[in-house]
Amino acid sequence: MTPRPESSGSHPEQPAEQRRTEPPTAARKKAAVKKTAAQKPAAASPAAKAVAKKAASTKAEAPKKAAAEKTTAGKKAVAKKAVTKKAAAEKAVTKKAVTKAVAKKAAADKAVTKKAVAKKAAVKKTAAKKAPAEKSVVSEALAHEGAGHEAVAGKAAAPRTAVGDTVREPAVPSGSAAEQPGPLEMEIAVSPAVDAADRERLLNGTHHSPHSVLGAHPVPGGVVFRAFRPYARAVTVASGGLTVELHDDGDGFFSGLLPLSEVPAYRLLVTYEETVQETEDAYRFLPTLGELDLHLIGEGRHEELWTVLGAHPMTHQGVTGTRFSVWAPNARGVRVAGTFNFWDATGYPMRSLGGTGIWELFVPGIGEGELYKFEITRPDGSKTMRADPMARRTEVPPATSSVITSSHYEWGDAQWLERRAEAPAHQAPFSVYEVHLPSWRPGLTYRQLAEQLPAYVKDLGFTHVELMPVAEHPFGGSWGYQVTGFYAPTARLGTPDDFRYLVDALHQAGIGVLMDWVPAHFPRDEWALAEFDGRPLYEHEDPLRAAHPDWGTLEFDFGRREVRNFLVANALYWCEEFHIDGLRVDAVASMLYLDYSREPGQWTPNEHGGRENLDAVAFLQEMNATVYRRVPGVVTIAEESTAWDGVTRATHHKGPSGFGGLGFGLKWNMGWMHDSLQYMSHDPIHRRYHHHEMTFSMVYAYSENYVLPISHDEVVHGKRSLVSKMPGDWWQQRASLRAYLAYMWAHPGKQLLFMGQEFAQGAEWSEAHGPDWWLLDPHYGAEADHRGVRDLVRDLNTVYRHTPALWRCDTEPSGFRWVTGEAAEDNVVAFLRYDDDGSPLLAVSHFAPVVRPEYRIGVPDDVPAWHEVVNTDAGRYGGSDVTHPDPVKPEPQGCHGYPASIRLTLPPLSTVWLRPA
């Protein structure tokens, strides 16, 4: 196997010589250094003679250099020890000396060490005096190996004293390594080879501390170099213009002991079958995570978790590369695999950083665009290849690899961010267009959508868009609600920076961006979060608590601090890194109740004997409090379908249930949606019997801060599109839809409408082809019918934004007053909305397909005249054009409990808005 040259990463400014060096040419000849394990005091080393002989034949000036070095050899108390790698002379090593050294080691270890330290001090002193005359202490020591051995005469060497049998001419430009090696050690007391236990653990991927074994380490007698490079034919240490080949220990292990006093700056030359790579040694670097980061992770309080976990291109200790880090506390070992090592993780073991469960590795020379995964050895010894839970970019599904990335985007929405915190969402205009990005205009990328979506939404007058989940998900049919890449925008539409471009474009068009966020559950894909490190980790350890009964997914373990940290940081990540203005939190009800969709016996009560999931409550409170504290102007919205007390109450305020509020800014009003659509689905002749379905919402309208949602869930799976829910013929269906939309926009609460419903699409939505845009084609015969509904939506938004009575006091009872909620026989609903200064708007909805002339409506007596601002029956919307072009003056005749009244001709199936003239 021949690995390719390593990537230069994301730092093109790095000098070329630090990224890659040309392979040594055949002209460079080796100077063999052969040496026995023990030497006689007065005899010169045969290896040293071989060095001198071969060096003389390499270059013309070599004899002069050798002679000069020989003259000064006696003055230097330095030594260089090397062992032969392949030559037949290695068999002649004196077995007696080796045996003697091994036998003495256990009994005389302390004495040998003390003597080595004493001689080391003497060597350093002598070497320091002679330093000006030295060109390279390593090269001189190798050239004068015989003289050096006189200084340690009579001492038995370790069984393996050095690496390899070659000394090379410089193979890298001068200065490619930062420093020259230090003075030489005099005592060799250890073997450089990886011991059997460490070797086995490294081969099996179960080593917790590979950096303690691999790399360069000071030992008695010098500095030991160890490399683990599967498939390599040779590994050479390059330092200060000198290259020394390490000994091949088999199975991809290479080692050697150089007689140095300290670890030098060095690089590795790795020889494969057809190439030679020059690279930094990944196992010479300190950890990239600091103590504070690890402490916060351990506490579950690292609010910027995405900055320390995952894959991050960076410069570490002056070297460019990528830091990999992952939480896997149950793993016996973790290794990283990717395109940079041909998906063979063997030679890339990560280290465990204490009790936090974090594994880390800095890999030099690789950068953006590389694919990667983590190979995890489970507690049972089996292995699994997993995508990075913190990956900020992924491959395009169905591919599942993570991608190294960094953001280079420059935002242009500073003015938007400054303004968005001026008023809380519940006291500001807030009408939302819900979008499924992959199908809104099928085939468009994020950047192409940025050219069309902001203009379309701005033209219709919506204040916000809500994006169905954009986090990466493997199955498109889930619409994004089964997430595997919680920190990565889906790669189906482009890169993370492309998604930033879309958000920026919407902001510059004056449109806020909400995003569906799914912290309730995740799918069981074997390459993702499920039993990530061989045991339940992100999911609850109790199978009954972990399995979601409705969707076949797994629920998060909200009681585990690291899992809460993962999710809280994720909420912040989207708001801070992508400038998202709000998070609509999906499936909150399924999180809050232990018995959600479970039968008796399938769930266990909480510590108080109740059905509330106390862990989920604490998580939601922490998430909301953290988001509102860190990101001013952002709103969180709960999709909560029950009557849980205090969803939008502050977390520090307790309610009747004894719980503090969940801390959301807004809540979807699922009750209003269900009741009102049920009413509209009845034939008008039967609506009188269901009148309460349109009025009951005002009983609880101020219990929470509500959004009125007509979402994607209401127009799929056989529920029919919004216009198709309406009874009657095509004219009546469109008229009922227009009347319903105007009623919705006037009702207390914010509005949300799913794409396609704004132009009365007749078919259910399908993620495969999206909205039926062809209905708006001028060549289509019924185009005017669909365009009329869209024109009404535009006008509703325009009037809504310019009428504070419709949004200023949405959450205050003083902002609403019934005119009549009991006219069931007439199918009429009428009410007043008020601004905080008392300015009113009158909304009258008539849900019968007949004209009611001179219908009397009670009004306050302090308004001299009323002017019609919206009439859904107007001809331009496709109605019968029964309108009131002139101001309507009240009469002193009381009605509906008011001192005055006006007479209106109520159009069929319509809603009329009037403001003071």
Side-chain angles (χ1 to χ4, degrees):
M1 186 174 186
T2 307
R4 63 175 186 179
E6 297 189 42
S7 165
S8 61
S10 60
H11 300 275
E13 70 275 9
Q14 183 183 8
E17 63 270 15
Q18 292 186 18
R19 295 197 303 266
R20 191 174 291 113
T21 252
E22 293 297 324
T25 64
R28 292 196 177 99
K29 298 185 177 181
K30 298 180 180 179
V33 181
K34 301 177 182 177
K35 173 169 127 178
T36 61
Q39 296 287 347
K40 295 182 179 181
S45 166
K49 294 178 180 179
V51 171
K53 183 177 179 180
K54 290 199 173 184
S57 63
T58 303
K59 291 188 178 180
E61 70 270 14
K64 294 181 181 180
K65 181 178 179 181
E69 291 175 347
K70 187 174 182 181
T71 303
T72 60
K75 298 180 180 180
K76 294 187 176 182
V78 292
K80 178 64 181 103
K81 303 179 181 182
V83 292
T84 182
K85 181 171 70 172
K86 300 175 182 177
E90 189 176 25
K91 295 180 180 179
V93 174
T94 308
K95 294 183 178 179
K96 183 177 180 181
V98 174
T99 303
K100 182 179 178 182
V102 174
K104 284 184 177 182
K105 182 175 180 181
D109 186 53
K110 292 184 179 180
V112 172
T113 303
K114 290 180 180 180
K115 193 176 292 185
V117 171
K119 294 200 174 188
K120 175 179 176 182
V123 170
K124 285 187 175 180
K125 184 176 181 180
T126 304
K129 293 179 180 179
K130 303 297 183 181
E134 292 178 351
K135 193 169 184 179
S136 169
V137 292
V138 174
S139 59
E140 235 176 75
L142 291 172
H144 298 284
E145 191 176 23
H149 272 287
E150 294 177 3
V152 290
K155 296 198 180 289
R160 301 179 56 88
T161 57
V163 253
D165 55 0
T166 60
V167 178
R168 296 176 179 238
E169 292 293 328
V172 294
S174 177
S176 65
E179 301 175 8
Q180 296 287 342
L184 300 180
E185 293 288 353
M186 298 309 301
E187 190 70 32
I188 297 176
V190 298
S191 168
V194 176
D195 67 35
D198 286 326
R199 184 184 183 108
E200 186 71 15
R201 291 164 64 199
L202 287 168
L203 286 171
N204 291 334
T206 59
H207 208 296
H208 278 70
S209 183
H211 293 71
S212 68
V213 178
L214 304 177
H217 302 276
V219 297
V223 174
V224 65
F225 292 82
R226 300 187 188 99
F228 183 31
R229 294 281 174 159
Y231 313 110
R233 293 194 168 187
V235 176
T236 300
V237 173
S239 177
L242 180 78
T243 59
V244 179
E245 187 172 318
L246 303 182
H247 184 265
D248 186 347
D249 299 324
D251 292 331
F253 291 94
F254 298 84
S255 66
L257 180 63
L258 299 184
L260 307 174
S261 62
E262 58 186 22
V263 176
Y266 71 96
R267 292 168 68 85
L268 297 179
L269 300 178
V270 186
T271 303
Y272 294 100
E273 185 176 353
E274 296 177 356
T275 186
V276 176
Q277 295 180 9
E278 181 183 359
T279 181
E280 296 284 351
D281 185 357
Y283 296 92
R284 78 171 182 84
F285 294 96
L286 297 172
T288 55
L289 274 67
E291 291 184 6
L292 179 59
D293 288 324
L294 295 176
H295 175 75
L296 292 174
I297 292 172
E299 283 195 333
R301 297 286 181 179
H302 203 303
E303 295 178 357
E304 297 181 357
L305 192 65
W306 69 90
T307 65
V308 293
L309 296 186
H312 290 268
M314 63 186 303
T315 299
H316 181 47
Q317 295 178 217
V319 176
T320 58
T322 295
R323 174 189 67 206
F324 296 94
S325 50
V326 63
W327 179 57
N330 298 310
R332 292 178 60 190
V334 182
R335 301 187 289 198
V336 61
T339 48
F340 49 89
N341 59 13
F342 288 88
W343 295 102
D344 188 330
T346 308
Y348 289 77
M350 304 174 71
R351 63 178 149 204
S352 175
L353 298 179
T356 61
I358 304 299
W359 298 77
E360 180 264 1
L361 178 66
F362 176 74
V363 180
I366 68 170
E368 292 184 60
E370 300 279 8
L371 309 183
Y372 71 99
K373 282 186 177 181
F374 295 114
E375 182 196 80
I376 296 174
T377 303
R378 301 182 178 106
D380 64 1
S382 63
K383 290 179 170 52
T384 178
M385 194 74 80
R386 298 292 175 133
D388 183 1
M390 302 290 298
R392 290 165 295 128
R393 184 181 174 189
T394 68
E395 281 190 287
V396 178
T400 60
S401 296
S402 305
V403 183
I404 300 173
T405 189
S406 286
S407 176
H408 305 284
Y409 189 75
E410 295 184 6
W411 290 90
D413 62 349
Q415 291 185 354
W416 168 266
L417 297 181
E418 290 173 1
R419 293 197 310 266
R420 73 178 181 182
E422 291 177 354
H426 62 276
Q427 295 179 349
F430 197 92
S431 61
V432 184
Y433 184 63
E434 187 185 24
V435 179
H436 180 253
L437 283 178
S439 68
W440 186 74
R441 294 280 191 180
L444 297 189
T445 65
Y446 290 127
R447 289 185 179 266
Q448 291 168 335
L449 285 164
E451 302 303 317
Q452 298 188 31
L453 183 61
Y456 183 80
V457 176
K458 184 176 182 179
D459 175 66
L460 289 181
F462 287 97
T463 65
H464 291 74
V465 294
E466 180 177 312
L467 308 178
M468 291 169 67
V470 297
E472 194 58 272
H473 50 283
F475 177 49
S478 76
W479 311 330
Y481 290 98
Q482 295 191 7
V483 180
T484 50
F486 282 81
Y487 284 79
T490 179
R492 293 169 174 86
L493 307 181
T495 69
D497 275 357
D498 293 338
F499 179 61
R500 289 180 173 92
Y501 182 86
L502 172 59
V503 175
D504 201 353
L506 287 162
H507 282 171
Q508 293 186 48
I511 300 164
V513 182
L514 312 175
M515 187 189 84
D516 279 10
W517 185 53
V518 193
H521 62 123
F522 57 91
R524 297 173 179 264
D525 299 74
E526 61 181 7
W527 48 269
L529 296 183
E531 293 191 350
F532 182 75
D533 58 3
R535 292 177 181 166
L537 188 65
Y538 289 92
E539 67 271 39
H540 202 281
E541 62 182 359
D542 180 353
L544 291 179
R545 289 278 298 272
H548 197 291
D550 289 345
W551 304 314
T553 53
L554 295 170
E555 297 184 11
F556 280 103
D557 182 0
F558 302 109
R560 186 161 190 166
R561 60 181 181 272
E562 296 93 343
V563 174
R564 287 202 310 271
N565 194 172
F566 174 82
L567 293 171
V568 171
N570 188 242
L572 290 172
Y573 171 75
W574 290 104
C575 295
E576 295 187 7
E577 293 292 324
F578 293 95
H579 294 193
I580 296 298
D581 302 295
L583 299 173
R584 177 267 195 184
V585 183
D586 183 65
V588 171
S590 73
M591 301 164 64
L592 290 175
Y593 298 99
L594 295 170
D595 62 344
Y596 183 87
S597 287
R598 293 179 172 91
E599 299 296 329
Q602 295 181 340
W603 63 280
T604 303
N606 62 33
E607 61 191 62
H608 305 296
R611 58 197 282 257
E612 300 86 0
N613 187 337
L614 304 181
D615 294 333
V617 171
F619 156 67
L620 291 171
Q621 290 174 329
E622 179 183 348
M623 181 277 296
N624 281 314
T626 305
V627 167
Y628 279 104
R629 170 171 52 83
R630 287 189 54 130
V631 197
V634 166
V635 62
T636 59
I637 308 167
E639 188 222 5
E640 203 283 307
S641 56
T642 72
W644 183 276
D645 174 50
V647 172
T648 59
R649 190 171 59 239
T651 58
H652 58 285
H653 290 169
K654 288 187 178 181
S657 63
F659 290 107
L662 295 183
F664 285 94
L666 298 168
K667 171 185 173 177
W668 273 22
N669 194 335
M670 309 293 281
W672 170 89
M673 175 274 300
H674 179 271
D675 290 346
S676 63
L677 288 180
Q678 185 72 19
Y679 174 87
M680 295 303 298
S681 69
H682 295 302
D683 189 281
I685 198 172
H686 300 302
R687 285 174 178 166
R688 69 182 70 182
Y689 306 111
H690 302 276
H691 194 73
H692 65 282
E693 294 175 348
M694 284 303 259
T695 61
F696 181 69
S697 60
M698 291 310 302
V699 172
Y700 59 88
Y702 301 104
S703 62
E704 303 282 2
N705 304 334
Y706 282 117
V707 174
L708 311 179
I710 301 299
S711 72
H712 64 277
D713 279 329
E714 311 317 316
V715 295
V716 292
H717 299 325
K719 296 180 182 178
R720 298 175 293 174
S721 70
L722 188 57
V723 69
S724 298
K725 295 176 188 290
M726 309 300 166
D729 59 21
W730 177 232
W731 190 94
Q732 289 185 355
Q733 285 182 314
R734 288 183 293 117
S736 292
L737 172 60
R738 295 192 303 267
Y740 178 74
L741 290 174
Y743 159 78
M744 170 183 173
W745 253 253
H747 191 285
K750 311 307 181 183
Q751 297 79 38
L752 179 141
L753 187 65
F754 183 59
M755 64 183 194
Q757 311 315 302
E758 77 275 15
F759 57 83
Q761 174 174 314
E764 283 189 340
W765 168 65
S766 167
E767 78 277 1
H769 63 261
D772 292 332
W773 296 108
W774 57 269
L775 295 173
L776 297 171
D777 188 332
H779 295 93
Y780 174 59
E783 178 266 344
D785 297 342
H786 298 279
R787 177 169 42 81
V789 175
R790 189 174 67 171
D791 290 345
L792 170 66
V793 171
R794 180 188 297 109
D795 290 350
L796 288 175
N797 275 324
T798 300
V799 176
Y800 170 78
R801 295 180 76 160
H802 293 89
T803 307
L806 290 173
W807 44 263
R808 182 92 69 191
C809 298
D810 257 335
T811 60
E812 299 174 21
S814 61
F816 176 90
R817 186 176 177 186
W818 279 114
V819 173
T820 177
E822 300 175 354
E825 293 298 321
D826 300 328
N827 293 357
V828 171
V829 174
F831 52 82
L832 288 162
R833 296 296 308 279
Y834 287 97
D835 190 359
D836 54 0
D837 64 358
S839 300
L841 178 137
L842 174 64
V844 182
S845 293
H846 177 221
F847 295 112
V850 297
V851 177
R852 296 190 186 278
E854 303 295 312
Y855 194 86
R856 191 170 292 277
I857 300 289
V859 294
D861 59 359
D862 56 352
V863 176
W866 296 85
H867 172 65
E868 185 177 272
V869 291
V870 169
N871 186 327
T872 64
D873 192 52
R876 65 182 181 278
Y877 303 142
S880 59
D881 212 24
V882 178
T883 61
H884 309 87
D886 300 323
V888 180
K889 296 183 179 181
E891 300 174 358
Q893 180 178 343
C895 184
H896 297 132
Y898 288 85
S901 60
I902 58 175
R903 288 180 294 167
L904 293 176
T905 298
L906 299 183
L909 299 171
S910 64
T911 293
V912 178
W913 291 359
L914 302 101
R915 286 191 309 205

